Amino acid sequence: MKLLFIGSRLYDDIDWYVRSKGIESVLTESNENAINLDLPDQVFIVPRGMDGPKQVALMQKVDAIVPLIGIDPPLIDVARMKEEVEEEYGIPVIAAGVRAVELTSNKIKTKAFYDEIGVVTPNYQILNSPEELTLDFPVVLKQGEGQGGKDIKVAKSIEDVEEYFTEFDQALCEEFVEGSEISIEVLGFNGEYVALPPIYKGETTIEGTHPLNKVKTGPCMVSGLDNNLVQHTAYKVAKNLASDGIFEMDFMYSAKKDQLYAIEVNTRPNGTRYLTTATCGVNSLCELVDMAIGEFSLSNISDKLKYFYSTEIPIGNYEGPAPNEPVKSFEDNDFVVHGPAGYQRVTARAESKEELEKLVDKLT
């Protein structure tokens, strides 16, 4: 079996798994100085865009293509390439299709999609000027496109809104929900979908604290919230998107209103994947490989499910004990270190809260 992987930045997360499956790996990358280029069997440096990967896939006669892209802008090009390559050449591309990407890559379209399928989302309006605002403060101002907290502002007054409009001509404005931030991964392939355990990402703050700066835990344990509701809602969203790959969804739970709100959905690998793997034993990136080689199924997921307490802690530069090889796998580790130097995080797991606390003390 020969697979083409697009993008090298995430490849070290799955190199160990690809090798364990005896897969011949081919990788394309547009940056000749990118990390992890020493890991695959073959590497091709290609221009930006999807034409280069497509040509390599045809030249190398690969059995499937697995894009490993963790940012939004290239996703629509990947989706168009997927539809062309699957239709014209019969090569599976393990990624979301055009419709799913178009609905999820623009927050305004995502809101309309939630309304259409009957999923509750915070009240919102599209502002073309501060004077149009009808929601009560505080409100959250966003742009239609962007990720990682980019161009998001919590506005507490009309002056804050006016300041936002000195930079932007339009804003998605939604009510500020005071409550718990939750993330969940859904895996989908050939019409089958499975929602993995929800992850707790901390409480919302007026200051708009970035999730990377919060301590996160799994599984999600928020008083009053039924995790089955989170999983059911996430499943409903993925089912209506009707596409393949990884769906990462963000929710808010308001204990005050006892209401779960859908915030956004991404059709790409996400930042909580280490916590999900630590919590339940299912690695979403490895599942992309299983989709490509015909080994993905709901029964296989069920067989892999485990139950741990886990946490992810921002640590800057990790200086604790070294993990076992492979360092990005929980197969032989109870912790994984990830992220660039200066912004590293440790994700750890244990079979009880007490054991997890002891492990965290040892690592930090």
Side-chain angles (χ1 to χ4, degrees):
M1 179 71 73
K2 182 189 288 189
L3 299 184
L4 171 66
F5 297 92
I6 302 176
S8 68
R9 188 175 68 84
L10 307 183
Y11 186 76
D12 59 334
D13 279 10
I14 59 168
D15 178 64
W16 63 275
Y17 190 71
V18 172
R19 293 182 185 280
S20 74
K21 290 290 186 178
I23 295 168
E24 183 178 351
S25 56
V26 181
L27 185 141
T28 61
E29 171 60 55
S30 60
N31 178 6
E32 61 182 10
N33 298 312
I35 61 173
N36 302 323
L37 297 182
D38 59 324
L39 298 178
D41 295 316
Q42 294 187 75
V43 172
F44 293 86
I45 303 300
V46 298
R48 290 186 180 276
M50 290 300 117
D51 188 62
K54 181 185 75 171
Q55 296 304 323
V56 170
L58 298 177
M59 176 181 66
Q60 289 291 312
K61 299 180 179 178
V62 301
D63 297 290
I65 300 172
V66 181
L68 297 176
I69 296 173
I71 57 176
D72 290 340
L75 295 181
I76 189 63
D77 289 336
V78 172
R80 290 169 180 149
M81 182 269 290
K82 168 188 172 72
E83 296 192 355
E84 176 190 351
V85 167
E86 289 185 342
E87 181 177 346
E88 295 188 15
Y89 304 102
I91 302 174
V93 179
I94 313 304
V98 171
R99 173 180 174 271
V101 172
E102 287 180 340
L103 287 174
T104 59
S105 61
N106 183 289
K107 296 179 179 64
I108 296 173
K109 290 183 178 180
T110 304
K111 287 283 193 180
F113 171 66
Y114 286 149
D115 290 340
E116 179 185 328
I117 65 174
V119 169
V120 178
T121 189
N123 291 330
Y124 69 97
Q125 61 180 126
I126 310 303
L127 293 183
N128 293 300
S129 71
E131 292 74 21
E132 295 179 355
L133 178 64
T134 59
L135 298 175
D136 294 332
F137 291 108
V139 294
V140 182
L141 303 173
K142 304 177 180 179
Q143 290 301 292
E145 298 180 356
Q147 69 182 85
K150 185 177 184 294
D151 300 329
I152 294 178
K153 180 183 181 69
V154 179
K156 308 169 197 174
S157 65
I158 191 63
E159 289 76 20
D160 287 342
V161 179
E162 289 170 347
E163 181 182 1
Y164 192 81
F165 269 84
T166 61
E167 187 175 354
F168 302 103
D169 296 325
Q170 187 183 73
L172 168 62
C173 177
E174 66 181 23
E175 65 174 322
F176 176 82
V177 176
E178 183 179 358
S180 305
E181 299 182 39
I182 299 151
S183 182
I184 184 171
E185 287 183 290
V186 180
L187 301 173
F189 189 63
N190 282 343
E192 290 189 319
Y193 301 90
V194 58
L196 300 177
I199 299 300
Y200 172 69
K201 299 199 297 184
E203 298 299 296
T204 56
T205 65
I206 292 291
E207 294 75 22
T209 305
H210 195 284
L212 289 180
N213 298 321
K214 295 181 180 180
V215 174
K216 309 180 189 71
T217 58
C220 178
M221 290 182 288
V222 173
S223 178
L225 174 63
D226 182 358
N227 281 348
N228 289 325
L229 173 62
V230 182
Q231 291 179 297
H232 174 78
T233 307
Y235 175 90
K236 179 179 181 179
V237 172
K239 185 77 172 177
N240 278 277
L241 287 173
S243 197
D244 296 334
I246 299 170
F247 303 88
E248 186 263 345
M249 303 181 202
D250 291 331
F251 291 89
M252 297 283 190
Y253 174 68
S254 169
K256 186 177 181 179
K257 297 181 180 180
D258 188 25
Q259 180 64 58
L260 182 70
Y261 296 95
I263 304 300
E264 63 180 66
V265 53
N266 300 302
T267 56
R268 53 172 168 75
N270 65 91
T272 57
R273 65 185 183 276
Y274 296 100
L275 258 176
T276 301
T277 305
T279 302
C280 71
V282 177
N283 183 320
S284 57
L285 291 187
C286 293
E287 293 305 316
L288 294 181
V289 175
D290 283 353
M291 293 174 194
I293 63 177
E295 294 185 7
F296 176 84
S297 70
L298 300 188
S299 61
N300 284 347
I301 294 288
S302 180
D303 289 343
K304 294 174 184 177
L305 282 175
K306 300 174 184 177
Y307 302 94
F308 292 93
Y309 293 92
S310 65
T311 188
E312 183 174 296
I313 303 170
I315 203 166
N317 289 309
Y318 177 72
E319 298 177 354
N324 297 317
E325 293 287 346
V327 297
K328 289 294 191 74
S329 167
F330 282 100
E331 297 289 312
D332 296 307
N333 286 299
D334 51 14
F335 71 97
V336 165
V337 181
H338 51 99
Y343 300 91
Q344 289 184 315
R345 286 162 284 162
V346 174
T347 299
R349 74 179 187 183
E351 294 185 355
S352 69
K353 290 182 180 179
E354 295 74 21
E355 290 178 4
L356 182 59
E357 289 176 2
K358 292 177 182 177
L359 176 58
V360 168
D361 287 341
K362 183 177 86 171
L363 297 175
T364 58

